[in-house]
Amino acid sequence: MANTYLQKTFSSVPTMTTFTVSFWIKRGKLGTSQCILESRQSGTTLSSIKFSASNRIAIYGEGTGVTKCDIMSSVRFRDTSGWYHVCIAVNTTLASANDRVKLYVNGVEDTDVTRNTAQVQNWEWYFSLTYPVNIGRDDNNSGSEFFDGSMSHFHYCTGTQYQASAFGSTDSTTGEWKINTSPSVTYGSNGYFILKDGNSVTDQSGSSNNFTVAGGNFTKTEDCPSNVFATLNPLDNQSAGGTFSNGNNTVTSVNTGYTYNTSTLGVNTGKFYWECKWSAQPTGSSNQVLI
């Protein structure tokens, strides 16, 4: 989704003290600030969920220049080979500040989050009000901090603070956290469920809150939480010096010297199928491409 983002402006203003955000995400690039969900009225009135440059989830809210919530996950999201499930459950009306914002990663609550500013009681967030909501980029000025990777099954539920178990479950045999493709949740008037089937921005919640592709090229991939595909591995790039794009499905190598890039998934037995497309190479008899 690099340089690509989704956007919607809502026509109504619900009470925004209680909501849940749930999504599956596969990272393409590490070490930079990347926006997942953001909405702002101005430079000092905003709500955002981002990957920080230190590869943590940052949950931030600010009202007229006053920080209302500033929470950072203890978990570092540095695996580019698999999908993460992230669930952020908010109820600012609760008595205990630590209960007002809960972060779950692959079904497990992150209880060691750093609360630089604990959630202010009864504060209302801006994620579904009457100015643009962005998925995949920051809306500050001309827009920046684009998310680099893939997203799937993006839920936004207003009025309820759900646990992660509403959107996934632990496989009794493998112990893996698995996706619930059709959760029994209530979305509310400004809730939505998008990216259910590939790159569809049509709302599947029944509330008709469809998003639009506001910039970039929104590409469908068969790689999904229930069927993980191998991609090129950006962490094995020290000697190659390649430039990755398209969810790490495309690499542009340097023009001089011997270079290589590997995949994220390794195998040693069984039968496997894969495809690749060699799109271009420099001219000259000494230039070769090997697979």
Side-chain angles (χ1 to χ4, degrees), residues 115-172:
R115 300 181 188 273
N116 300 307
T117 300
Q119 171 69 71
V120 173
Q121 190 172 25
N122 295 320
W123 186 67
E124 295 192 41
W125 290 71
Y126 304 118
F127 284 136
S128 63
L129 303 186
T130 55
Y131 29 88
V133 175
N134 294 279
I135 295 176
R137 80 155 194 183
D138 182 287
D139 198 28
N140 189 15
N141 299 318
S142 60
S144 59
E145 298 186 351
F146 288 95
F147 169 69
D148 192 314
S150 302
M151 292 185 185
S152 183
H153 286 248
F154 201 110
H155 300 267
Y156 187 87
C157 304
T158 60
T160 307
Q161 184 187 39
Y162 287 107
Q163 296 183 8
S165 56
F167 305 96
S169 60
T170 302
D171 187 284
S172 59

Side-chain angles (χ1 to χ4, degrees), residues 52 56-60 67-73 98 112-119:
S52 70
R56 293 183 169 98
I57 288 281
I59 306 167
Y60 183 77
T67 301
K68 303 295 185 177
C69 181
D70 185 4
I71 293 175
M72 189 81 70
S73 72
N98 289 356
D112 294 325
V113 295
T114 300
R115 300 181 188 273
N116 300 307
T117 300
Q119 171 69 71

Side-chain angles (χ1 to χ4, degrees), residues 4 20 32 48-49 57 62 74-75 85-86 92 96 134 147 162 177 182 204 217 225 230 243 253 262 280:
T4 301
T20 305
T32 62
S48 69
I49 300 170
I57 288 281
E62 182 178 343
S74 66
V75 178
H85 177 229
V86 178
T92 71
S96 172
N134 294 279
F147 169 69
Y162 287 107
W177 184 251
S182 299
Q204 304 295 315
N217 297 313
T243 301
S253 299
T262 58

Side-chain angles (χ1 to χ4, degrees), residues 179-198:
I179 188 172
N180 180 355
T181 57
S182 299
S184 298
V185 295
T186 301
Y187 292 91
S189 60
N190 282 21
Y192 51 86
F193 174 16
I194 60 173
L195 308 183
K196 180 179 181 180
D197 299 307

Side-chain angles (χ1 to χ4, degrees), residues 13 24 31 51 85 125 135 155 181 205 226 245 268:
V13 182
W24 289 76
F51 282 119
H85 177 229
W125 290 71
I135 295 176
H155 300 267
T181 57
S205 74
S226 57
S245 60
N268 54 16

